[in-house]
Amino acid sequence: MIYAFPVAALSSITNRVTGCVLAFGAAGLGAAELVGGAGTSMWLMQFIGSQGFLISSTAKFSVAFPIVYHYFGAIRHFAWDFKPELLENADVEKASIALYAGSTLVSLGFVLF
């Protein structure tokens, strides 16, 4: 492959994807409550939690990561809005790597604790 996506572009794409995942996840839980009656999503969460550490941890991470990543991405964009001098190519690349690393670590922390 000759061309590789810059990490800043991948970070931007990931931010958009996590926003869509959060919207569809919220809509899915709302639809489950409407169709299945009150308490359906609670039953679903209890069922997933009872399936063992591997499945429940994967489920927790798949919920925690989009929330944390999208939130941290918003903070980064607010910082760029108020400090446009941080939008140098090298700084944006470092911020993107830090966003991935920080989001992963915090999400793993939510899974384990």
Side-chain angles (χ1 to χ4, degrees):
M1 195 161 117
I2 296 171
Y3 180 77
F5 264 58
V7 70
L10 292 173
S11 175
S12 176
I13 293 167
T14 305
N15 196 32
R16 294 165 197 265
V17 168
T18 56
C20 290
V21 166
L22 292 171
F24 283 113
L29 283 176
E33 288 291 319
L34 286 172
V35 172
T40 302
S41 59
M42 185 186 325
W43 173 85
L44 180 62
M45 298 304 149
Q46 289 173 342
F47 175 75
I48 292 171
S50 69
Q51 297 304 305
F53 179 76
L54 184 63
I55 292 175
S56 64
S57 296
T58 303
K60 284 181 186 180
F61 187 82
S62 67
V63 170
F65 183 79
I67 294 169
V68 171
Y69 188 91
H70 201 71
Y71 185 78
F72 285 175
I75 292 171
R76 178 180 69 166
H77 278 274
F78 282 133
W80 287 344
D81 287 343
F82 292 103
K83 293 270 200 179
E85 61 271 11
L86 296 174
L87 284 170
E88 300 292 328
N89 285 343
D91 292 335
V92 170
E93 184 174 341
K94 289 176 190 173
S96 297
I97 293 169
L99 178 59
Y100 277 120
S103 298
T104 302
L105 289 174
V106 170
S107 298
L108 286 172
F110 282 137
V111 168
L112 298 175
F113 300 106

